[in-house]
Amino acid sequence: MGIRFILMVNKQGQTRLAQYYEYLTLEERRALEGEIVRKCLARTEQQCSFVEHRNYKIVYRRYASLFFLVGVDNDENELAILEFIHLLVETMDRHFGNVCELDIMFHLDKAHFMLEEMVMNGCIVETSKSNILMPIQLMDKTS
Amino acid sequence: MSGPSIMETLFQRTLEDLIKGIRLQLIGESAFISKAMEEIRKEIKSTDLQTKSIALQKLSYLNSLYFVDMSWAAFHCIECMSSSRFSLKRIGYVAVSQSFDEQTPVLLLITNQLRKDLGSVNEFEAGLALDCLANIATVDLARDLTPEVFTLLGSSKIPVRKKAIGVILRVFEKYPEAVRVCFKRLVENLDSPDSRILSAVVGVFCELASRDPRSYLPLAPEFYRVLVDSKNNWVLIKILKIFTKLAAIEPRVAKRIVEPVCDHMRRTGAKSLMFECIRTVVSSLSEYEIALKLAVSKIRELLVDEDANIKYLGLHALSIIAPKHLWVVLDNQEIVIKSLIDADANIQSESLRLVMAVISRSNVVDISHVLLSYGHKSDPDFCNEIIGSILSACSHNLYEIVMDFDWYVSLLGEMSRIPHCQKGEEIENQLIDIGMRVRDARLELIRVGRSLLIDPALLGNPYLYRILCAAAWVCGEYVEFSTNPPELVEALLQPRTSMLPPLIRAVYLQSVLKILTFCMYSHLQKQSSISFPSSHNLEGVMAECVSRRKTRESSDILTSAQDDVFNPMISENILCEEDIPVETKGENLFFEKNRFSQESIVNLLNAIESALEPLLGTLEVEILERARNVLGLIDLIKQQIPNHLSPEEESFSREASEVWKLIRSMNDAFCEELGPVSFTAQEKIQLPEGLVLEENLRELDSIYGILQPPLNFLPQREERVEELPDSEWRSRDDLEPSNESTSLLVEHRKRHGLYYLPSGVSNDYPLANDPRSGEHDYDENEDLIRLAAQSLAPKKKPNYSKPRPVVVRLEEGEATSHIVSKKPNSKYDLLSGVVQDVLQETNPMESSQKGKEKVSSDVPPGSKENLQDLVDPMGERSGSGKSKHRSHGKERGHKIPKKNDREKDENCERARQKGSHRLGRKKTRQRAEGQTDLHAHTPGQIPDLLL
């Protein structure tokens, strides 16, 4: 499994989106998110975007007030994951138009839908923005 | 529809209302959420599916972001999931994906719904079902739904097929038998012209191959084609990952991919792909010089990059290559060393790892010195990381890289004084271990121990207690090396020792007992030598001294002084063994001779007595017992000594000889050499019959959970064990974590405040290791650069003024034996077994190849040539008759017109072979019997298509 989880967390450390690709109990998730937030949010801009945590790595990137954190296996390509995060943000940008925290809060289902298109089972399966957005646009039209 | 449900529908809060509510609530988030949960519990029971689904949606939201339990709503999830309206169905599916696990009781109910949706003509419904299956598939679900997934693998709708490929990984994992059904179709997808399909299928193979590369070797030709043809960086990165694994186990694959990997490295502008190429080269292709050189030059580019991410990756690549090609690290040493002062902790520790990789006998002194001086100034975590890695590097394989133990011991002392040092336990172990193993280091150990013990400021730092404990033990055990034993006693009994945890204090007291015994022994020995200059007694004393020398076999300054009087020869021998210049020795002797005057001994006794008497009221049994031991001995001595003051020789000799006997036997007991004991020593002792260990001890576990004694080397007396007070053993066993001890101490202080010093006392002393003390004030950056310039470069072995001292090593493999417990993961074994089965089924040739590889030691000469052929590059091989014959034969088999002249055009060749590939497999099976000799010439599928 390449990607283990994807988190979006705001500056205050509140989780805005959480997608796990392995089953964790609520308590495990709470502990994990707490640890990660403590570890990553304290880092400065000059520090690198990779953090070793437990037996895996966290690759993160900050966009305005939102942190995008992706937990990956140790041999995953860190730069590719950074690009993946950027792709995700660009995709959201295209859909919401300059995406912000509120967009994700109020349209969590759509954010999840995009992720479903992009990642399955921890593998990145889709990297084209228009392909990712196609089903969502269709759904918007019909509803 | 019933009344209440209409009401519910009309006035139900939507998810958006809920989110707004959470943002605007005034009653506190958790109160608001529990209120919302009450609503949800009501709404979700509604018969109206719309109402139910909105409730479920809210619940999923709260579950995902606010950790609200939703396992109770499993059945409601299923109800929504079965709705015919897509929007409701989707809410149900999201909830199921999010909350179901293997234990969910209603899991069995969804199989049919999933089957129905997987077969749906609506591609989005099928997509939903596939997404859900990817998240929650269990063994049962995977088994029951394999046929549907198989159908979708061939779907004409690209998004559906893509998701079907994505789900395969989970299905295989849960139900390996599915491989028999789906694998072939999965492999076919590698040929798909659609980049989305390719990207998905390569991702799946990357995961599969990372778990068990060997099974996927036969697919190397397909992967190779992707590697050469694909333009998609995502795909290339995954393919490179696959090849990293394959090349590590199959040299032929490695040889084959060197060229394309280098091509990608030269051409690509994407850093991610570049880094993946570098990683492939450094981990699997490092023996190919062209590739390695190129990769090294690219690594250098990464290292000098401004971006912290890129720099980190550069260092990471270096650490992968370090074990195989250390020169790469040495070439970049300057950057590595400078990275130690990077702002980023990740970069710091990565470069620390690299520095530790280049540490050796010739540079260990410089590196440790610079690292420590840097550790003083860095943050506590990294400081401890530095200390920890120096400790483990130096102690590795019985201090292999340490030439000069005096230096190392004083380094340990220096480390202990670093304010953030939390490696007390490790330093403690090493101090004691070195004491037992390295005779020549004992003098320095005493010096370092003394300086730690006499510093009252150190007693305020709980992290140091264990080191102090070791220092106290060392000073007691090797007191004969001390220049000033009474000073040690003073240090061990200073008022601030009351801050120590009781068990460590007990070690202090035991050391006092040892030192006292030693002082008395030396004193009395001197007395006797003076009082009986040439009496009948002399011979006996001398003989005794000689025999003692023999049993100890250790050089001993102080007693050698006394020996001097009796037997110059012996002391001469000892002098030769000693490293200490003779002048110092002379001084010591002088010093010592004056020290143990009658008066000084009496003073010593009085000092000990007055310090220990208050302890007789303590509640700590360990302290109490030891204090009583010491005081008891003093009592005995004191009864005798006053008589001694009278000049009457007769009474003296009689009285003194009693003390003499006592002291001598005690000294003998303490003089037995302690040696290291193997880790496995305990196992060799046979369990006495009828001894039930576990039954009683298990209960203690809960009480003493954290007090487990380190399973390290326990000191051991070689003989006369029964006479020995057992503090030596306890000194290691009884140590406690400082937290507990401080709390005990506090409690003790409460009860016995009388015996404690006023609380302000800790302020009387300067802070331990005040960083402002100016000792390490030089600029460490400059130092680092100097180090880069000098010490890392492999230089000539420095001339050591003295040979490396002997380090006692036990015969058996004492050096930490790594138990390599390679526990094969049964699940993946199962999976790889099936994959291999399937691949062999489709390629009968594969099995012959496998067999050949296995018996490679006794292959017939003919097939050996074949193997040689395979290794030859394509161009060269095309000239050999054998290979021509082979390709000829194959083409005939495939009924494709002969095109030998085009053979050199690789792409064409591959494309052609690809085209006939599937066809060819069937045909090979048909003619398998008739043309066995042809098969002998085409051993396996890898070379067939790769070369």
Side-chain angles (χ1 to χ4, degrees), chain A residues 1-2 29 33 43 47-50 52 75-77 83 105 109 113 116-117 121 126 131 135 138, chain B residues 19 63-64 67 90 124 131 134 162-163 166 170 196 207 241 272 276 279 308-309 312 343-344 346:
Chain A
M1 184 173 299
R29 276 168 45 191
E33 287 173 28
R43 294 170 65 83
Q47 295 182 310
C48 73
S49 316
F50 318 126
E52 281 169 35
D75 58 352
E76 193 56 61
N77 187 313
E83 280 171 41
M105 279 181 72
D109 55 332
F113 210 110
E116 274 169 26
E117 290 297 312
N121 245 335
E126 180 62 77
N131 285 338
L138 264 176
Chain B
I19 298 169
N63 170 266
S64 160
F67 309 109
R90 190 178 138 68
F124 297 109
D131 279 330
K162 182 188 76 182
K163 289 194 172 185
R170 175 102 185 191
R196 287 185 274 170
E207 289 306 316
K241 281 191 184 301
S272 51
E276 202 54 52
R279 180 143 59 184
N309 292 339
Y312 169 78
D344 189 333
N346 285 345

Side-chain angles (χ1 to χ4, degrees), chain B residues 658-674:
Chain B
E658 268 177 42
V659 183
W660 173 238
K661 263 187 221 157
L662 172 74
I663 294 292
R664 199 173 56 189
S665 63
M666 282 189 64
N667 195 45
D668 282 354
F670 289 142
C671 275
E672 297 298 341
E673 182 88 349
L674 291 178

Side-chain angles (χ1 to χ4, degrees), chain B residues 693-738:
Chain B
L693 283 175
E694 289 174 12
E695 224 166 83
N696 300 324
L697 295 181
R698 221 167 250 157
E699 291 162 19
L700 287 176
D701 272 359
S702 56
I703 307 165
Y704 282 104
I706 39 171
L707 297 187
Q708 295 295 331
L711 280 176
N712 211 326
F713 302 105
L714 299 175
Q716 181 192 55
R717 297 276 179 200
E718 272 144 25
E719 36 179 303
R720 305 188 63 168
V721 175
E722 68 285 350
E723 282 192 15
L724 177 77
D726 48 2
S727 85
E728 275 75 28
W729 289 295
R730 293 192 196 166
S731 66
R732 326 285 315 296
D733 291 8
D734 288 348
L735 301 171
E736 291 178 283
S738 49

Side-chain angles (χ1 to χ4, degrees), chain A residues 62-90:
Chain A
R62 183 180 170 170
Y63 288 87
S65 64
L66 259 195
F67 285 84
F68 290 71
L69 307 130
V70 180
V72 292
D73 282 343
N74 268 321
D75 58 352
E76 193 56 61
N77 187 313
E78 294 88 344
L79 294 173
I81 297 297
L82 280 181
E83 280 171 41
F84 165 78
I85 294 175
H86 193 65
L87 174 74
L88 177 62
V89 174
E90 280 182 341

